[in-house]
Amino acid sequence: MRLPTASLDGELNPLTTQPDFTRVRAQVLESDNEADISDARVWCKLTKSTPAPPPFRFLGTPTINFEKNDQEDILQFFNKFINDEIIDYITNEMNKYANKWSRTNSSSSRNVWKPLSSDELRIYLALVILQSIVRKPEMRHYWSKNPILETPFIAKFDQIKKYLHFVDGETYNPATHPNPKLNKIFPIYERLVERFQNLCVPEKNITIDESLLLYKGRLGWVQYIPLKRARFGIKTYLLCESKSGYVYNFVIYTGKGTILDPEYSALPISSQVVMTLVKPLLNKGYCLTMDNFYNSLQLADLLVSKKTDVYGTLRANRKEVPKELSTTKILKGEVIGFQRGKVAVLKWKDKKEICLLSSIHGVETVNLQKRGETISKPKLVHEYNNTMGGVYRVDQHLADYTLPRKRGKKYYKKIFFHLFDLALWNSFVLYSKTGGTKTALEYRMDIVKLIMEKYHHSEFCSATDRPSVIPTPQRLTGRHFPEYIPGTEKKNNPTRQCARVRDGRGKKIRRESRYYCPDCDVALCVAPCFRVYHTVKDI
């Protein structure tokens, strides 16, 4: 279907008061042929008896594109998003970057890097999730020995975050890179967009809005949005399923360098964003909800030509909006509307005047109960309030259990943790869609627990070869025997700090030991610390 042009420059035709939808309705309901409504281009005033335009037939198939294994735990949902490919890729890039950095800063023994394994990276990510639940003012408080602040379950993993890296800088070429401004995070960005779209097909109602990741560092595309909770930060455009909040597609805003689909380069930027996000779902009868930043008559006509319905708030000064919409004064509770083809524009006054656009609504109203009173409002307003909450739901969840730290300096690390947070949220949505009953908090805590049980090994230690202080799940079971700590090139008889020695008041004190438990990989005095560590549950 060709995209028709507006006639009469958006003015009302005084001779036309009612649109003729007889043929339009028949053509729209056809599933195989596109509707041609190019001759219905004049603005017509709507009345309560005017029928609403019919929605397009929904041709999508909402599905979850992976087989749930009832024999496995809920970790299978998380692993579908943060899969082995992504973990192995990050591990490889981190080891390359850390080894290169260590060679150029080899004067300090702290710069010696022990290669990180994929399982160790998963343990680190589990601890990052735990940090979103156990909030502390500063990072150093997580490994503080102060009894008030101490969290024994969290190890000191500052070096892992220090060397967190996602791309080999030596291979970067800005002239050929598909997204130069996001080159440091682009491989993860690209993989997660693909995972989000492949694992779930959304239901009919979808919504587009922007989200803001708090960031106040020096970055050319930091945005200031006073109505957002963060106000300053990195903006992300999200396309979500309205009901569940599942993030299906997203675009990170990078100023003039934002990568959008070149097919729609002639459109305004806001319309380019919409068409880029919704492109995989066009011609399937989806219904898109947006606010007045994105909505315009040109965009609505284009979406209708792609068999995609749209509705939402509208700015009255947009091009082709009839002048009568902004000049006509209305009373509280009153609704007026004008229709052109399949697209209608409405104005309704509650506390203030609100302009709206829709391809499936007229001026019909619905009665609702509010504080024991019956109130009347346009059906369009009621459905807009019900379907616009997809992105809001995501923002609310991420604000409750946010992963990115407030004072991060490296923008690409903050973006990574934000993307990781979105992947964790999506995995929870799929878990809920398949009958899961746990809350978001319970789900997160279970993911942390299952990762620790599945991927923690006795040889796990930090990147600087410092033994882990995380008690292994097997420390209270099995048979454990003390052994001498193995010698190194520098020391034949090395010692480590005992993990259990405490004074009479229960305060931990430093004492070196020649012995350790090879299964738990912790240094312990032969007596009594070895026995206490392997028999007492709460240590």
Side-chain angles (χ1 to χ4, degrees):
M1 170 181 169
R2 68 182 185 277
L3 180 62
T5 57
S7 61
L8 302 180
D9 296 325
E11 296 291 339
L12 290 175
N13 184 343
L15 301 179
T16 308
T17 58
Q18 294 289 331
D20 181 9
F21 289 116
T22 304
R23 184 174 55 80
V24 174
R25 178 181 293 272
Q27 289 179 314
V28 168
L29 291 176
E30 292 179 0
S31 59
D32 299 325
N33 300 319
E34 294 186 354
D36 185 1
I37 56 175
S38 59
D39 58 343
R41 300 301 301 162
V42 294
W43 285 112
C44 310
K45 189 169 183 178
L46 297 176
T47 65
K48 291 185 178 180
S49 62
T50 305
F56 289 112
R57 182 173 297 173
F58 183 53
L59 303 177
T61 307
T63 54
I64 297 175
N65 294 324
F66 72 88
E67 292 292 333
K68 177 187 174 184
N69 190 338
D70 294 332
Q71 304 301 319
E72 295 185 19
D73 50 45
I74 63 174
L75 192 59
Q76 62 181 302
F77 296 96
F78 176 79
N79 287 340
K80 289 294 181 180
F81 292 91
I82 308 300
N83 57 8
D84 292 338
E85 179 194 358
I86 292 178
I87 291 292
D88 292 343
Y89 176 84
I90 297 175
T91 303
N92 183 51
E93 292 299 327
M94 282 184 62
N95 285 328
K96 287 196 298 185
Y97 175 75
N99 288 330
K100 179 182 176 181
W101 196 92
S102 298
R103 287 195 299 270
T104 57
N105 299 270
S106 57
S107 59
S108 172
S109 60
R110 288 181 56 84
N111 295 327
V112 177
W113 173 260
K114 179 181 178 180
L116 191 72
S117 69
S118 296
D119 287 353
E120 287 174 321
L121 180 60
R122 288 184 182 273
I123 295 296
Y124 166 69
L125 294 178
L127 296 178
V128 171
I129 298 173
L130 184 60
Q131 283 185 323
S132 71
I133 302 170
V134 184
R135 304 293 294 177
K136 296 188 180 183
E138 297 181 21
M139 288 291 291
R140 59 186 178 87
H141 291 159
Y142 283 101
W143 46 83
S144 170
K145 298 304 178 183
N146 187 322
I148 300 176
L149 298 172
E150 186 175 7
T151 309
F153 192 65
I154 296 183
K156 186 172 183 178
F157 50 81
D158 55 331
Q159 274 215 328
I160 295 182
K161 184 177 181 180
K162 174 182 177 180
Y163 292 121
L164 197 60
H165 217 69
F166 312 103
V167 69
D168 187 356
E170 295 180 355
T171 62
Y172 169 62
N173 184 352
T176 58
H177 197 278
N179 199 332
K181 289 191 175 182
L182 291 177
N183 72 88
K184 292 188 175 182
I185 190 63
F186 186 73
I188 307 301
Y189 171 90
E190 188 177 38
R191 284 171 169 82
L192 285 181
V193 169
E194 181 182 2
R195 300 301 298 165
F196 288 4
Q197 295 182 10
N198 289 343
L199 288 172
C200 182
V201 178
E203 297 178 3
K204 180 176 181 177
N205 288 299
I206 54 178
T207 182
I208 289 178
D209 204 354
E210 66 272 1
S211 178
L212 200 66
L213 170 63
L214 176 64
Y215 185 77
K216 295 184 179 181
R218 293 186 177 183
L219 194 63
W221 61 84
V222 168
Q223 292 284 289
Y224 171 67
I225 305 179
L227 297 180
K228 295 292 184 181
R229 179 171 179 170
R231 294 195 300 153
F232 292 92
I234 300 170
K235 183 165 66 176
T236 307
Y237 299 107
L238 302 177
L239 186 153
C240 298
E241 188 179 64
S242 297
K243 183 178 179 180
S244 67
Y246 180 86
V247 180
Y248 179 78
N249 200 359
F250 61 92
V251 171
I252 298 177
Y253 174 80
T254 57
K256 291 183 178 180
T258 305
I259 303 301
L260 301 171
D261 196 309
E263 180 181 348
Y264 307 106
S265 58
L267 299 175
I269 293 297
S270 59
S271 299
Q272 290 184 51
V273 170
V274 173
M275 297 307 295
T276 299
L277 290 172
V278 81
K279 186 175 182 178
L281 304 177
L282 294 175
N283 296 306
K284 296 180 181 179
Y286 276 91
C287 189
L288 177 61
T289 309
M290 300 178 291
D291 62 22
N292 58 23
F293 174 77
Y294 307 95
N295 265 329
S296 68
L297 284 166
Q298 296 93 329
L299 177 61
D301 287 338
L302 179 56
L303 288 169
V304 167
S305 73
K306 302 290 186 181
K307 287 190 175 181
T308 302
D309 285 311
V310 58
Y311 60 85
T313 54
L314 176 71
R315 295 178 185 176
N317 59 354
R318 292 285 196 188
K319 290 182 179 180
E320 302 182 21
V321 175
K323 294 179 181 178
E324 282 74 6
L325 193 71
S326 56
T327 59
T328 303
K329 300 298 181 181
I330 59 176
L331 301 176
K332 182 176 181 179
E334 188 178 353
V335 186
I336 61 170
F338 306 96
Q339 189 136 1
R340 187 189 70 179
K342 196 176 185 297
V343 179
V345 291
L346 283 71
K347 183 166 73 171
W348 171 63
K349 185 172 183 181
D350 186 25
K351 293 183 179 179
K352 63 179 181 179
E353 294 181 346
I354 302 172
C355 293
L356 304 109
L357 173 151
S358 176
S359 66
I360 59 172
H361 296 94
V363 294
E364 66 271 25
T365 59
V366 293
N367 294 325
L368 303 171
Q369 294 293 325
K370 184 177 182 181
R371 299 188 182 94
E373 297 182 1
T374 301
I375 60 172
S376 177
K377 65 171 57 176
K379 183 179 180 181
L380 169 55
V381 174
H382 174 61
E383 294 191 0
Y384 172 80
N385 291 336
N386 287 339
T387 58
M388 192 60 192
V391 177
Y392 300 154
R393 188 173 290 107
V394 177
D395 282 344
Q396 182 182 21
H397 169 82
L398 299 188
D400 289 339
Y401 309 109
T402 180
L403 293 184
R405 300 298 298 180
K406 187 176 292 186
R407 301 184 181 274
K409 294 182 179 180
K410 301 292 186 181
Y411 77 92
Y412 61 90
K413 293 183 182 180
K414 293 210 70 169
I415 293 177
F416 167 74
F417 288 120
H418 182 60
L419 299 182
F420 179 64
D421 215 353
L422 291 178
L424 184 60
W425 163 253
N426 273 358
S427 70
F428 169 70
V429 172
L430 294 195
Y431 160 77
S432 301
K433 279 176 172 282
T434 55
T437 58
K438 295 181 182 294
T439 65
L441 176 59
E442 292 171 340
Y443 178 81
R444 283 185 173 234
M445 291 191 295
D446 281 356
I447 290 294
V448 173
K449 177 184 175 182
L450 293 170
I451 290 177
M452 297 300 297
E453 290 178 351
K454 183 173 182 178
Y455 297 103
H456 190 283
H457 306 297
S458 59
E459 64 271 14
F460 173 69
C461 59
S462 70
T464 56
D465 208 18
R466 185 182 294 110
S468 169
V469 297
I470 305 175
T472 64
Q474 299 83 16
R475 69 182 180 88
L476 299 177
T477 61
R479 305 177 68 186
H480 301 267
F481 301 95
E483 292 185 8
Y484 285 110
I485 298 174
T488 63
E489 295 180 358
K490 296 183 178 180
K491 286 186 178 182
N492 292 327
N493 300 309
T495 61
R496 290 187 193 172
Q497 182 180 353
C498 177
R500 181 59 201 137
V501 175
R502 299 182 183 273
D503 60 16
R505 294 176 296 178
K507 183 178 179 181
K508 190 173 181 180
I509 59 176
R510 184 180 183 90
R511 181 178 297 172
E512 298 292 317
S513 174
R514 281 276 291 113
Y515 299 91
Y516 84 123
C517 175
D519 295 324
C520 302
D521 195 28
V522 292
L524 296 162
C525 299
V526 175
C529 300
F530 195 92
R531 175 184 56 80
V532 172
Y533 184 84
H534 291 103
T535 56
V536 178
K537 182 177 180 180
D538 298 321
I539 60 172

